[in-house]
Amino acid sequence: MTLRLLAVHAHPDDESSKGAATLARYAAEGVDVLVATCTGGERGDVLNPALNTPAIHRDLPAIRRREMAAAAEILGVRQQFLGHVDSGLDQPLPEGCFAKLSIEDAAKPLADLLREFRPQVVITYDETGGYPHPDHIRTHEVTRAAFAATDDGTPRKLYYQATLSRAWFQAMHDATLAAGLESQMGPVLDELPPDRLRATTRIRCEQYFDTRDRGLKAHATQADPAHPFFHHSRDVERAAWPWEEYHLVGSTPDTHEDDLFVGLR
């Protein structure tokens, strides 16, 4: 049986900043991994100060597609755009954008993909979107709708991302200080609320952290080299937190799962 994993994300770069080491691990193990990207990210900001220029902004839609292709190659996964228009954060949201479509219209491309690809495992965001961008919240909504609409009785599982949690940042901060190194996680921790999502599943993927980092850096317009994420020791991370975490929807295992395909293999 061919194992298939679908990760549904709002914009290019989300697949590399949330769960990328997991995707790389499963792809390397022979799982057919597909990233579905709801929008092109064309209304996003340029977060890398060195690239925040008028020329980059003029060509941003094409640049983000090239960055996405490069990241997918690094991670070893396939990727497909669902064709929605980035909503951006500015109010009012533009007509026709992803977040202003009806749930039915917004979910249709994903439902069609689910029927074609037939993944046993689907990963997306919880109802908060991970952070309150309208496209992230809508990604949760359309994934739930498409997942329900394509239920043919085949065993499958739906997970929410629980990566980059407050617990992760706290563990990196504490382990960095314990190693006698300077931590840049303090300001991040000051802004993060308590974790609300219980992690049910931990995927060991520490050998793919370098792949994750290279995938994220491939999204050069979205990766600020000064961000604290890039400045902690990867050796410290591998020792303190060698996994990425997920929440299994609709079930609460007694112990942490160590495989997204538990019960499906």
Side-chain angles (χ1 to χ4, degrees), residues 217-229:
K217 289 176 181 177
H219 293 281
T221 62
Q222 305 303 299
D224 181 357
H227 193 279
F229 178 80

Side-chain angles (χ1 to χ4, degrees), residues 119-140:
Q120 295 97 344
V121 168
V122 178
I123 304 171
T124 193
Y125 319 127
D126 72 0
E127 60 271 21
T128 71
Y131 83 110
H133 190 296
D135 286 340
H136 281 248
I137 295 169
R138 181 48 54 95
T139 296
H140 161 81

Side-chain angles (χ1 to χ4, degrees), residues 203-253:
I203 305 302
R204 290 289 298 256
C205 50
E206 66 269 36
Q207 70 189 91
Y208 296 98
F209 286 168
D210 177 66
T211 306
R212 171 202 66 191
D213 293 348
R214 289 189 293 113
L216 184 53
K217 289 176 181 177
H219 293 281
T221 62
Q222 305 303 299
D224 181 357
H227 193 279
F229 178 80
F230 292 113
H231 293 277
H232 68 273
S233 163
R234 270 40 186 176
D235 289 336
V236 168
E237 181 183 9
R238 290 184 185 97
W241 198 280
W243 49 72
E244 290 177 333
E245 292 189 321
Y246 301 88
H247 173 83
L248 176 61
V249 178
S251 180
T252 306

Side-chain angles (χ1 to χ4, degrees), residues 166-217:
R166 180 181 178 85
W168 180 85
F169 279 99
Q170 188 68 60
M172 292 304 99
H173 179 69
D174 295 343
T176 298
L177 295 179
L181 303 172
E182 181 180 355
S183 171
Q184 296 190 26
M185 299 299 188
V188 180
L189 285 166
D190 290 341
E191 297 178 357
L192 287 177
D195 291 330
R196 57 174 300 279
L197 196 63
R198 182 194 168 201
T200 63
T201 308
R202 285 177 166 173
I203 305 302
R204 290 289 298 256
C205 50
E206 66 269 36
Q207 70 189 91
Y208 296 98
F209 286 168
D210 177 66
T211 306
R212 171 202 66 191
D213 293 348
R214 289 189 293 113
L216 184 53
K217 289 176 181 177

Side-chain angles (χ1 to χ4, degrees), residues 1-7 22-36 75-80 113 116-123 260-261 265:
M1 179 179 68
T2 300
L3 298 178
R4 294 176 296 276
L5 187 160
L6 178 66
T22 297
L23 302 185
R25 171 193 153 171
Y26 278 111
E29 292 177 354
V31 174
D32 190 358
V33 179
L34 176 62
V35 172
L75 298 180
V77 305
R78 298 192 290 132
Q79 185 269 341
Q80 182 171 325
L113 179 60
E116 176 188 353
F117 185 53
R118 300 183 70 240
Q120 295 97 344
V121 168
V122 178
I123 304 171
L260 296 174
F261 292 91
R265 292 183 183 269

